[in-house]
Amino acid sequence: MRIDIITAVPALLSGPFDASIVRRARDKGLVEIFVHDLHDYGKGKYKQIDDYPYGGGAGMVLMPEPLAACLDRLLAERTYDEVIFLTPDGMVLDQKTVNALSLRQNLILIAGHYKGIDERIRSLYVTREISIGDYVLSGGELPAAILTDAIVRLLPGAIGDETSALTDSFQDGLLSAPLYTRPEEFRGMKVPDVLLSGHHRKIREWRTEQALIRTRQRRPDLLDERD
Ligand code: ADE
C-alpha cells in the first residue's frame, strides 16, 4: 500500500510514522508513506500557497493551483483509489470505513490548514471527506496521521499477533472487555478467577459478556448500530 499526504505543515507529520507499529510496517515494506510539502508547489517568487477568501471573512484559504499541481503530479504517476480530504465537514470516521480503506492500494490524503481549501479542489479531485470527530483542530495533519495509523495497523503482518487487530474495541461493534496482567493481586484487587482458570470457552464467554456490559453502559448507541 502507498499513502501520499499533502500538507502545508509537514513538520506536524515528522514524528507519528517513525515509531511503533507504523514504523515496523514501513520497515517490512507493507506500506510506503510520502509527505508532500505544499510550499514546493507554491505560486510565484514567494511560493504562495494561501490567499484571502473572496467575500471577506477571517482566515486564509489554500489556493487551488499549488494543490492541483501536487495532485496532478501524483495522479500522473499512478492510479489512486481515493483522494481523501480531512475536514470537520466530512463523514465522521469509524472502524468500518478504516477497514474498507485498508484494502485499497494507493491513497492521497489532503490535510487542509488555515481556514480551509478552495472549493474547486473539492469538486475536481476529492472522492471522500473524512472528519475524525465533532471538534475543530488547527489543521488536517493530525487527522491524516490518525487515519494513516488506523489503516496501517490493519495491514496483514503489521501487528505481531495476527489476531489482535480483529479483537480490538469496535472491530465487532463492541468495546473491549477489561484486561489484566501480572500480578494476580494489585492493591487488594484480584484478577477475576475465570481468567486464571485456563478454561478457554469460559474465558471467551466472560469476555463477550463483559464487552456487552461495558458497551451497554458506555456506548449504548453502538448496540443499536450492530447489524
Ligand atoms: N481539520 C480540522 N479539524 C478536523 C477534524 N475534526 N477532522 C478532520 N480534519 C480536521
Side-chain angles (χ1 to χ4, degrees):
M1 179 179 221
R2 174 179 169 123
I3 301 177
D4 289 272
I5 306 176
I6 305 174
T7 170
V9 194
L12 281 172
L13 292 168
S14 64
F17 309 133
D18 280 334
S20 186
I21 288 168
V22 177
R23 172 82 257 170
R24 199 168 61 212
R26 293 173 68 196
D27 290 345
K28 283 185 174 180
L30 305 176
V31 64
E32 287 182 291
I33 300 170
F34 297 93
V35 176
H36 306 276
D37 186 348
L38 205 49
H39 293 92
D40 294 341
Y41 300 86
K43 251 186 106 177
K45 194 166 137 198
Y46 297 104
K47 296 281 174 198
Q48 189 183 355
I49 59 164
D50 60 347
D51 210 336
Y52 295 99
Y54 276 123
M60 301 294 273
V61 178
L62 288 177
M63 299 159 75
E65 294 97 326
L67 276 167
C70 184
L71 286 161
D72 286 343
R73 212 197 91 198
L74 292 172
L75 292 165
E77 286 168 357
R78 67 195 61 76
T79 305
Y80 284 88
D81 301 288
E82 300 253 11
V83 177
I84 300 169
F85 175 44
L86 284 306
T87 167
D89 305 349
M91 198 198 74
V92 176
L93 186 63
D94 59 13
Q95 191 63 48
K96 211 168 123 197
T97 306
V98 175
N99 292 353
L101 291 173
S102 76
L103 301 174
R104 305 284 187 257
Q105 220 32 252
N106 298 319
L107 300 174
I108 293 178
L109 310 185
I110 303 175
H113 218 83
Y114 314 111
K115 193 74 190 164
I117 68 173
D118 189 285
E119 186 67 20
R120 291 162 290 188
I121 292 296
R122 294 166 88 159
S123 309
L124 287 169
Y125 293 94
V126 172
T127 59
R128 192 193 281 258
E129 302 196 339
I130 289 179
S131 163
I132 60 153
D134 289 336
Y135 42 85
V136 180
L137 299 164
S138 327
E141 287 77 14
L142 300 179
I146 284 168
L147 177 59
T148 300
D149 182 286
I151 290 171
V152 169
R153 61 191 297 287
L154 294 181
L155 301 178
I159 292 184
D161 174 359
E162 292 289 341
T163 60
S164 78
L166 295 174
T167 56
D168 289 336
S169 273
F170 288 111
Q171 215 28 292
D172 55 4
L174 295 177
L175 303 185
S176 286
L179 295 169
Y180 297 89
T181 185
R182 287 193 292 181
E184 259 182 59
E185 185 174 329
F186 176 69
R187 299 195 182 166
M189 298 168 83
K190 290 204 168 117
V191 174
D193 285 337
V194 63
L195 296 179
L196 308 173
S197 69
H199 195 304
H200 296 297
R201 183 175 54 80
K202 282 199 176 143
I203 291 172
R204 224 174 20 250
E205 284 168 4
W206 180 85
R207 285 190 169 142
T208 304
E209 181 187 284
Q210 292 295 317
L212 277 164
I213 291 170
R214 193 159 267 197
T215 309
R216 203 172 294 126
Q217 281 172 348
R218 299 182 183 191
R219 294 292 306 274
D221 55 304
L222 293 177
L223 292 175
D224 300 337
E225 278 170 23
R226 280 177 100 200
D227 321 309

